[in-house]
Structure formats: C-alpha cells, structure tokens
Amino acid sequence: MSTRIQTVFAKGRPAFVAYIMGGDPDALTSQRIMNALPGAGVDIIELGFPFTDPMADGPVIEEAGIRSRKAGTTLASILDMARTFRRDDDTTPIIVMGYANPVYQMGYAAFSERAAEAGIDGAIIVDLPPEEDGPLRAEMDARGLSLIRLATPTTDAERLPKVVSGSSGFVYYVSMTGVTGAALAQGGSVAEQVTRVRDAAHLPVVVGFGVKTTERASQIAKEADGVVVGTAIVKALHEDGEEAALDLVRALADATHTAR
C-alpha cells in the first residue's frame, strides 16, 4: 500500500510543498491557514515547530518562531494541529520540520508514537546529522514515518550515499549555503545537483530554502520533483494577512504544477 507521500509523487507532476510555522501568529489563525492549504493547491504541508536556537532559519522564519513561542506553542500543540487537520483531510501528507532538542526532550519513542497517532507522515530535523539520527530513525521506521534527510550544495560525492541511505519519502535539497530565505543558487547548478541526488537516493528530490517567486518556482519545478516555499508565505501571512498568504500559495502551486 502506498504512503501519502508516495501517492503525491505518483501523480506525475511536480509537487508543491508549503511551509508554515505552526502557532504563528496564534493557534487559531495557524490552524485555519493549515486547513486551507490543500484547497489552495498544496500537495505536502511542512509544519514547523518553534525552537529557541533556530540556527538554519533566516530572520523571517526566526521571527515567526518567536511569535509562535510567545503564543504558547509547543511540540505537543503542533501534533495537536495535525490531529485537528486530519478530522477533515486524510490524504495530504504532513511533514513536521524543526530542531532536535524538542523531539529529544519529548523522547524519540514518545514523539514517534504521538506523531503517528496524530496523522504525521514524516519529519525533517535540520540539525540531526546521519551519524546521530539512528535512534530516532529506528523509532520512526517502526511506526511507518519517514525521516527526511537534507542534501546541500556542499554534500560531496563521498558523503552523499550516507546522507541519502537513511532518507525515506523524499530528499530535501537545500539549494544554497546559508539560512532559509537566502538567495538561491543558479538554475543550471540546481538542476545538476537534483539529478545527482536523485540518482543516488532513488527517491524524489524537492528543492527549497530560497524559492520566493512564481517564476523561480516554475523554473525549479522543470527539473525537480517538488518545490518548497516557506519564507515568502510566512512573510505574506505576517505582513498582509491570511487571504494574501493563501493567494500567494495558489499562485506558487499553479506555477509549480504547470511547469512541465
């Protein structure tokens, strides 16, 4: 039986993946946005959970995490968001994304069990390298959850097999060296890297960490299996409100889906 993630990539078109920071600016608004994402064209939801030391986050996501924590968001309440979402949507994959410390504090077994029960499909833990994610991956594997690894422009040919060997669902290609929302690498180099990672992993490859416009989403979607946008959506929600954020999501999703 196919997983939710596999079903998305079996559609034969580039997948649009939208990141939001759970609990930003508050629980009710964040839940409304999450619930509306599939109707706006989102294929996979990346649901961020806040952390005090977000080393890979640019200022927009970092500030969203601060707002979320001030609103009282915890990893447990992020899982509750997924549980609420699943009351009406049992098909859209949900990937939680964040840092290892909150997961470690909850306990790897408890996190994996509670995530599976809430309807989570996988996790991206940005600061947990392959050498250290074995205990978490074992707990997630036992419950049918995907631990999604990150490959970067600096992941060389010697390290790439180790990075992709433990990934499942898809591989997230970080398209630049830097924090979220920074400048994206040139299109040609991204295309070459996507091919390299895909050949090594035998998994779909999605590209994120710098896609901000419909034009760039379309360009990347011509080569990759999926496109991730986070910073632009989080910024639109904060500066312009829910409808503006969802309008942007619709435009990005359409540009991704029609790229090829």
Side-chain angles (χ1 to χ4, degrees):
M1 185 170 118
S2 295
T3 66
R4 294 186 187 103
I5 296 173
Q6 288 170 335
T7 299
V8 165
F9 290 108
K11 292 179 180 178
R13 68 179 186 183
F16 180 64
V17 185
Y19 170 96
I20 61 169
M21 173 62 73
D24 173 41
D26 56 69
L28 289 176
T29 303
S30 187
Q31 188 75 60
R32 279 199 305 270
I33 289 288
M34 182 182 183
N35 293 351
L37 289 177
V42 172
D43 299 296
I44 299 174
I45 296 170
E46 276 186 15
L47 183 60
F49 55 91
F51 180 52
T52 54
D53 260 333
M55 66 183 77
D57 293 342
V60 171
I61 303 296
E62 184 176 1
E63 289 164 10
I66 292 170
R67 291 191 296 270
S68 176
R69 288 191 292 109
K70 285 183 176 178
T73 307
T74 64
L75 180 54
S77 64
I78 292 295
L79 300 183
D80 286 340
M81 284 185 66
R83 189 176 295 105
T84 298
F85 178 87
R86 285 282 175 243
R87 293 174 187 168
D88 298 313
D89 187 317
D90 194 42
T91 58
T92 305
I94 304 170
I95 308 298
V96 291
M97 184 172 185
Y99 295 84
N101 185 270
V103 178
Y104 178 80
Q105 292 297 323
M106 179 177 285
Y108 291 161
F111 166 75
S112 300
E113 183 173 347
R114 293 171 69 174
E117 184 273 330
I120 298 292
D121 297 276
I124 301 171
I125 309 299
V126 298
D127 58 341
L128 196 60
E131 292 82 1
E132 298 177 16
D133 71 8
L136 174 59
R137 182 155 42 92
E139 297 291 351
M140 292 180 65
D141 285 348
R143 293 162 179 85
L145 303 177
S146 294
L147 184 58
I148 295 159
R149 293 257 184 85
L150 302 169
T152 74
T154 59
T155 305
D156 60 23
E158 182 177 349
R159 181 158 179 77
L160 184 58
K162 178 180 256 319
V163 169
V164 302
S165 65
S167 194
S168 59
F170 59 89
V171 177
Y172 190 129
Y173 180 68
V174 178
S175 55
M176 23 62 70
T177 53
V179 295
T180 54
L184 196 64
Q186 292 302 307
S189 63
V190 171
E192 293 165 7
Q193 294 295 329
V194 165
T195 299
R196 184 173 73 97
V197 174
R198 189 190 290 129
D199 288 346
H202 304 291
L203 287 170
V205 178
V206 303
V207 174
F209 270 59
V211 185
K212 299 178 182 179
T213 65
T214 55
E215 292 79 12
R216 199 60 173 130
S218 178
Q219 184 180 13
I220 295 297
K222 286 179 170 63
E223 305 293 342
D225 301 293
V227 177
V228 185
V229 179
T231 296
I233 296 169
V234 172
K235 184 177 181 180
L237 174 61
H238 177 60
E239 295 183 354
D240 303 312
E242 295 176 51
E243 285 308 312
L246 289 171
D247 285 344
L248 176 61
V249 168
R250 292 184 190 98
L252 289 163
D254 183 64
T256 299
H257 293 153
T258 60
R260 52 181 166 87

